[in-house]
Amino acid sequence: METVVSGIRSTGNLHLGNYYGALRNFVKMQKENNCFFFIADYHSLTTHPDPKMLHGNVKNVLTEYLAAGIDPEISTIYVQSDVPEVCELYLLLNMHAYMGELSKTASFKDKARKNPENVNAGLLTYPTLMAADILMHNADRVPVGKDQEQHLEMTRKFARRFNNLYNVELFKEPKVYVEEGQELIKIPGLDGSGKMGKSEGNCIYLIDDPKTIEKKVKRALTDEGPKAPNSEKPDYIENLFTLLKVVSTQEVVDHFEEKWNTCEIRYGDLKKQLAEDMIKTTNPIRERIIDIQNDEAYLHKVTKMGAEKARESASKIVKEVRQIMGFKPF
Ligand code: TYM
């Protein structure tokens, strides 16, 4: 049985990008592996969230994990800040993480460019904290979207570097979790730009009600249609097809591909179908979110149990790391 670690930052509600990027195939994933799902609340601190909002944001992600179908009896669900072992491993790994490589990370450069007034050390060392999340369970696999590929590559580098430096075979080099024949996925936004993302404001959230989803999809950018048969799709249309491929059946996708190729496509029909199929995915989850979100006793029980299981797993590795690096008790 392999160990799988999946994390989502507590910066807001879960959207379809998170759902298909980090939780795809989660039924099978949970059944076949030893899974850890956690809420990355330390990672959310790089953007200085209002302390009054922090707990509510963690609660949202926790509720949505559970509502989506993560089963706390099978998997371990925990809050990152409930597991102090991660801080120790983060500190130790940081001693072998270099300024040059950290500052070259695409996400760091992007965030530093967008918020030049807040280029903090937490942002720079974001990949080491993520590596600590993964390596403290010695994960084999990590389900992530395409945007996290580079961070995972850095995790492998840190693992390899540690093993080489201390001449041990402690850390595995974690691979992405993808089904055979599949690739890492990038769920596009509805605004014709790149990926669906909270900060981009182009998301379909799991908590969105059907009317909201219909409205958002209706507003998605389109044009007057293809000018010639079998023509290439502009990015904003390709994005709609990518979304359709994720939420709809192959038959539906084939139908609209055919309509595109023969210049008979009616975007209104495509959007109606897309919204309908998105609602099919999100509606049952939304209903469960509403059921779970006020059940404080349940949420307490889940996080307590999760923290215990996560700490048990992490403390073993951190203990080994300490020994390898030369720490000894008096
Ligand atoms: P975060 O919170 O930005 O996103 C959580 C997960 O959702 C995926 N994702 C997407 N996948 C496909 N298309 C999209 N549009 C899309 N948007 C988000 C992300 O790839 C990610 O898998 N650094 C991580 C959180 C993290 C983590 C970890 C993940 C911290 N430690 C350890 C795995 C293992 C992040 O920012 O995710």
Side-chain angles (χ1 to χ4, degrees):
M1 197 182 253
E2 293 197 321
T3 297
V4 172
V5 173
S6 179
I8 297 182
R9 260 176 318 152
S10 51
T11 45
N13 292 97
L14 297 203
H15 52 74
L16 286 181
N18 301 133
Y19 185 71
Y20 289 105
L23 300 181
R24 64 184 175 276
N25 305 320
F26 65 86
V27 175
K28 189 163 177 272
M29 196 199 298
Q30 290 188 97
K31 221 196 271 166
E32 295 176 355
N33 302 282
N34 177 26
C35 289
F36 293 88
F37 295 94
F38 74 96
I39 300 134
D41 54 348
Y42 281 145
H43 276 105
S44 79
L45 296 181
T46 57
T47 49
H48 305 166
D50 180 347
K52 286 193 226 66
M53 306 295 283
L54 192 82
H55 183 72
N57 283 341
V58 172
K59 187 177 163 187
N60 282 343
V61 180
L62 172 66
T63 308
E64 291 170 1
Y65 259 141
L66 292 164
I70 304 303
D71 183 344
E73 299 295 330
I74 306 176
S75 302
T76 303
I77 305 183
Y78 67 95
V79 182
Q80 187 184 33
S81 63
D82 282 343
V83 181
E85 285 76 8
V86 75
C87 299
E88 185 170 0
L89 188 55
Y90 168 56
L91 182 144
L92 298 174
L93 290 175
N94 264 335
M95 303 304 159
H96 298 301
Y98 295 99
M99 181 79 187
E101 60 192 346
L102 292 168
S103 61
K104 266 194 235 119
T105 319
S107 62
F108 174 76
K109 285 201 289 195
D110 185 48
K111 296 236 162 73
R113 189 174 45 80
K114 285 186 185 152
N115 297 297
E117 77 297 342
N118 183 26
V119 188
N120 60 63
L123 196 62
L124 181 71
T125 56
Y126 187 106
T128 353
L129 182 55
M130 181 156 163
D133 290 322
I134 298 167
L135 298 178
M136 74 176 182
H137 300 300
N138 222 349
D140 299 279
R141 301 226 171 235
V142 186
V144 283
K146 185 91 182 141
D147 59 322
Q148 297 296 314
E149 201 172 24
Q150 193 183 23
H151 287 157
L152 198 55
E153 181 54 51
M154 292 183 80
T155 300
R156 282 194 286 273
K157 199 199 263 182
F158 294 149
R160 203 159 47 233
R161 187 176 292 161
F162 185 93
N163 289 347
N164 288 341
L165 269 170
Y166 296 100
N167 200 16
V168 290
E169 278 177 41
L170 177 68
F171 291 127
K172 294 177 199 159
E173 291 184 33
K175 300 189 195 65
V176 293
Y177 179 92
V178 272
E179 290 292 292
E180 241 181 74
Q182 284 182 13
E183 285 180 16
L184 281 189
I185 194 166
K186 179 175 104 179
I187 303 292
L190 283 167
D191 55 352
S193 69
K195 67 162 187 168
M196 185 177 285
K198 281 162 231 175
S199 43
E200 280 78 11
N202 58 10
C203 300
I204 299 284
Y205 292 99
L206 299 181
I207 190 78
D208 281 345
D209 60 36
K211 282 240 143 41
T212 307
I213 295 182
E214 278 164 14
K215 238 195 265 165
K216 285 183 177 176
V217 175
K218 227 181 235 170
R219 278 204 308 259
L221 183 67
T222 47
D223 50 25
E224 61 282 5
K227 301 249 177 339
N230 302 314
S231 47
E232 208 177 301
K233 301 183 189 85
D235 286 349
Y236 50 93
I237 300 296
E238 191 65 61
N239 286 354
L240 292 181
F241 274 86
T242 303
L243 288 165
L244 202 65
K245 278 181 204 145
V246 172
V247 296
S248 304
T249 61
Q250 189 60 47
E251 211 181 334
V252 166
V253 176
D254 291 346
H255 168 80
F256 286 105
E257 288 283 2
E258 159 89 24
K259 294 278 171 202
W260 168 268
N261 286 331
T262 53
C263 302
E264 289 168 297
I265 192 144
R266 286 164 40 170
Y267 291 129
D269 293 348
L270 185 147
K271 287 179 172 180
K272 191 158 169 276
Q273 181 76 47
L274 180 59
E276 208 173 278
D277 290 334
M278 283 176 168
I279 293 166
K280 257 190 224 153
T281 304
T282 56
N283 224 21
I285 300 176
R286 187 173 57 89
E287 284 167 8
R288 284 195 295 270
I289 294 173
I290 295 164
D291 281 349
I292 298 169
Q293 67 189 357
N294 295 319
D295 194 344
E296 298 289 342
Y298 178 58
L299 298 179
H300 174 75
K301 188 178 139 208
V302 167
T303 46
K304 187 165 177 281
M305 189 165 81
E308 278 165 18
K309 287 203 271 176
R311 291 197 68 182
E312 195 191 325
S313 156
S315 57
K316 275 190 218 138
I317 294 285
V318 174
K319 198 171 154 207
E320 281 193 67
V321 171
R322 285 179 64 97
Q323 273 169 3
I324 290 167
M325 291 180 83
F327 291 94
K328 275 187 193 151
F330 280 97

